[in-house]
Amino acid sequence: MSFKDYDKKTFIADTAKDYAARRISKRDFMKKMALAGVGFSAFSAGMLGSSRRFNGNLSLLGTPAFAEGDAETNKWLADVGSKFKGTKIRYTSEATPPTVVLDKIKKEFTDPTGIEVEIEIVPLEQVLAKATQDVQGQLGTYDLYYLDQSWVATFSQDTYDPIAYYKDKPDLALPNFDWDDFSKPLVDGLALYDGKWVGIPFDIPIFMLMYRKDILEKHGIAVPTTPAEFTDAIKKITEAEKANGMYGTGLQAKSGHYSLNCDWTQMVWNEGGSIFTKDKKFSGNDEAGIAGLQLYQEWLKNAPPESTNSTWDGQFQMMASGQSAIVQSWDEFFPGLDADDSKVKGLWMPAKPLVGKPLRAVADAGFGEIPNYAHQGGSILALSKYSKNPDAAWIFMQWACSKDIMTRCTLAGGFAPMRLSSFADPRVKAKAVVGPGTTRHLDMVKWIIDNNMASEPDMPLWAGFSNNEIPVNLGKLLTGQDFGGDAKKCMDTIADAINKSVADAGL
């Protein structure tokens, strides 16, 4: 299928609206998006049709750490922002931690500026539909776009380069905005396209190892650093604690769900494999891929039975309820484990991701895949070229992404900050203790971002593969519905289907 640009965006918007109204299935939605050349990052694809868990602590909004803004920024808002009093700007996003917090504290912006801010928080497919329809007709309905990292290429011509806008409008520039303060791996991985900043890094969930310190100490187990050590540890814990309702680990292995794909890709990379090779062939069925899946089958034996029906929400509940002892998964879980109502408050600890065999070189992988030890997903905040009030929206965007606001969003949202200064901010450091809104995992998260950040293949078909062919067949294997427990047979079936689709698409 070929599209003119306008027709392509019509197709995307109409398809996204059809899925939002449940007139088509998720599988059909993914297929049509792939035909149009629109992908989803691994993390965000799994959010389609559902909401993202918020593990932060909004009660912190009234604490001294949330005293309203720094003086310099407040003065800038009053002096510069108030020139646009009476203007209204609109922003649509899924329920990311920073968006949720910004929606709660936007009064700090609206009061001194007089600029009205409407934040629409909707499921991801509706975000895509609204943004696409807006750029298609150059409507200017939305002034700011939340963009999944895999949409950056699609929308790159529809947004202002924030670096250029900052330089071209010095009278609107927030003093000491400090562009060098944004983590370089996040800029490179999320915000840049063809040398241009499409937006500003906004959100980055990423894998890390988490473990129950008390359980490991009880059984004399060192914190595992490799998949082999992890396997030995969870076997020992399961054997000793199963009668007490605890297993060594917990998995997000729901059949047919993207969460299972997240677990699987990490296993492949840790065995020195990749999802595709440089000749653009699926390689999950090579020696490394099979070894990774076989190891995952072993892990499943040492996880609660409900793992095969659990996404990340179920996996978090296994951790929070005391059913699992060691998990490699999303860093966003961590603040919720320290909540006041948590049964495991203060018992979980963060650690570096498992390091398996030497990584397959990026040059030997395909479709821009970056094998590494920490699975990630991310997004950016972008300024629309079609905004009717771009200067007012730009003032809000600078405020929302400023050092102080990003730091305070981190304090309440429990997510990895985009700015280097946020990691070092005294308020963040002060919260690195057991309790609601803890940040005691963030030093580890920063290290992982700087050293271990992986990226799945950058191709339109990937969203479909990672939500359909791969987790559907993996689910059949893991639940005993097909393949007779044979990992190679399962992977060969997936390879045949994916290689045919890639060939048919002319990739």
Side-chain angles (χ1 to χ4, degrees):
M1 180 181 290
S2 62
F3 297 88
K4 294 180 180 178
D5 186 58
Y6 185 88
D7 291 339
K8 172 181 173 179
K9 287 175 178 174
T10 300
F11 178 83
I12 294 169
D14 288 347
T15 302
K17 284 187 286 186
D18 282 344
Y19 177 66
R22 299 301 180 260
R23 290 189 289 267
I24 60 174
S25 68
K26 183 175 179 178
R27 184 182 182 89
D28 287 341
F29 173 67
M30 289 294 194
K31 285 183 176 179
K32 289 184 176 184
M33 289 295 96
L35 286 171
V38 175
F40 290 83
S41 72
F43 184 79
S44 290
M47 292 298 168
L48 292 171
S50 61
S51 297
R52 185 165 166 186
R53 167 177 288 275
F54 183 83
N55 285 318
N57 182 21
L58 294 177
S59 67
L60 290 173
L61 298 181
T63 67
F66 259 85
E68 291 191 3
D70 64 81
E72 185 177 33
T73 299
N74 287 341
K75 183 177 186 303
W76 172 78
L77 288 174
D79 292 346
V80 178
S82 61
K83 297 174 184 178
F84 302 92
K85 182 178 181 180
T87 302
K88 180 178 180 177
I89 61 173
R90 298 180 73 199
Y91 157 48
T92 185
S93 170
E94 66 164 328
T96 67
T99 298
V100 171
V101 177
L102 283 175
D103 192 39
K104 296 295 184 183
I105 67 171
K106 65 184 180 183
K107 193 172 183 291
E108 293 186 29
F109 175 85
T110 59
D111 280 358
T113 62
I115 299 171
E116 185 180 350
V117 179
E118 181 180 326
I119 299 178
E120 293 183 8
I121 299 178
V122 297
L124 188 63
E125 64 272 13
Q126 293 184 38
V127 176
L128 175 61
K130 290 171 182 289
T132 304
Q133 189 171 23
D134 197 62
V135 302
Q136 169 208 57
Q138 300 184 8
L139 302 176
T141 303
Y142 296 98
D143 303 280
L144 299 171
Y145 300 135
Y146 164 87
L147 300 179
D148 179 81
Q149 61 180 303
S150 61
W151 304 347
V152 167
T154 300
F155 288 89
S156 62
Q157 299 305 310
D158 303 301
T159 68
Y160 289 105
D161 181 336
I163 295 283
Y165 210 90
Y166 188 85
K167 292 178 179 177
D168 293 343
K169 303 254 184 176
D171 55 319
L172 302 180
L174 173 61
N176 302 313
F177 190 73
D178 192 359
W179 294 95
D180 292 334
D181 189 45
F182 289 98
S183 173
K184 189 176 186 305
L186 298 185
V187 172
D188 293 345
L190 305 179
L192 288 181
Y193 180 74
D194 199 21
K196 168 199 169 186
W197 283 55
V198 179
I200 296 176
F202 198 58
D203 186 34
I204 182 68
I206 194 165
F207 267 27
M208 71 176 182
L209 189 76
M210 292 167 276
Y211 66 93
R212 282 278 299 270
K213 181 180 180 181
D214 57 326
I215 300 299
L216 266 60
E217 289 179 348
K218 176 181 178 181
H219 298 290
I221 299 172
V223 179
T225 60
T226 68
E229 291 175 0
F230 184 95
T231 305
D232 290 341
I234 64 174
K235 284 182 176 180
K236 185 173 182 179
I237 292 169
T238 299
E239 183 178 354
E241 299 286 350
K242 187 175 180 180
N244 300 320
M246 173 176 279
Y247 292 77
T249 191
L251 302 174
Q252 48 183 0
K254 183 178 176 67
S255 178
H257 195 278
Y258 171 68
S259 59
L260 174 54
N261 180 80
C262 295
D263 274 1
W264 170 78
T265 52
Q266 196 63 69
M267 303 300 293
V268 172
W269 291 329
N270 266 295
E271 287 295 321
S274 58
I275 301 162
F276 288 94
T277 52
K278 60 184 177 183
D279 61 357
K280 298 182 178 179
K281 297 292 185 182
F282 180 80
S283 53
N285 62 335
D286 64 12
E287 184 177 351
I290 299 304
L293 180 52
Q294 289 174 335
L295 189 57
Y296 193 72
Q297 289 175 285
E298 189 65 27
W299 288 10
L300 188 60
K301 297 174 185 177
N302 295 277
E306 59 264 35
S307 289
T308 53
N309 196 39
S310 295
T311 66
W312 30 72
D313 277 344
Q315 187 180 41
F316 172 79
Q317 291 302 329
M318 294 173 206
M319 300 169 70
S321 65
Q323 286 183 282
S324 59
I326 318 174
V327 168
Q328 179 156 286
S329 194
W330 305 107
D331 69 294
E332 290 186 352
F333 288 167
F334 204 85
L337 299 171
D338 263 8
D340 280 338
D341 60 354
S342 172
K343 295 180 180 179
V344 293
K345 182 178 179 180
L347 298 179
W348 283 90
M349 299 294 291
K352 295 178 182 179
L354 302 173
V355 175
K357 296 178 181 177
L359 295 165
R360 183 166 290 175
V362 173
D364 292 327
F367 297 108
E369 177 185 352
I370 302 175
N372 215 315
Y373 301 120
H375 191 112
Q376 60 90 9
S379 65
I380 64 171
L381 188 63
L383 178 62
S384 169
K385 279 187 177 178
Y386 316 117
S387 167
K388 296 180 178 65
N389 300 291
D391 287 349
W394 173 237
I395 291 171
F396 176 79
M397 186 171 168
Q398 290 178 88
W399 173 80
C401 298
S402 66
K403 291 181 179 180
D404 177 64
I405 296 301
M406 281 282 94
T407 296
R408 291 195 286 147
C409 284
T410 293
L411 287 170
F415 69 101
M418 303 294 101
R419 285 183 170 274
L420 300 175
S421 59
S422 295
F423 285 103
D425 190 284
R427 293 167 292 181
V428 172
K429 292 292 188 182
K431 292 298 295 181
V433 294
V434 174
T438 186
T439 61
R440 61 190 181 92
H441 60 306
L442 290 187
D443 282 346
M444 185 62 67
V445 172
K446 183 181 184 302
W447 188 93
I448 294 168
I449 290 172
D450 290 342
N451 295 279
N452 285 162
M453 197 164 70
S455 289
E456 291 185 347
D458 183 11
M459 61 182 302
L461 292 174
W462 177 245
F465 295 155
S466 61
N467 280 268
N468 294 301
E469 285 84 353
I470 293 172
V472 167
N473 283 290
L474 286 175
K476 291 178 180 178
L477 171 74
L478 299 175
T479 59
Q481 296 176 57
D482 202 351
F483 308 116
D486 190 329
K488 180 70 163 61
K489 188 180 294 185
C490 175
M491 283 290 101
D492 284 344
T493 297
I494 294 172
D496 289 344
I498 288 180
N499 287 334
K500 183 179 186 303
S501 294
V502 171
D504 289 346
L507 299 176

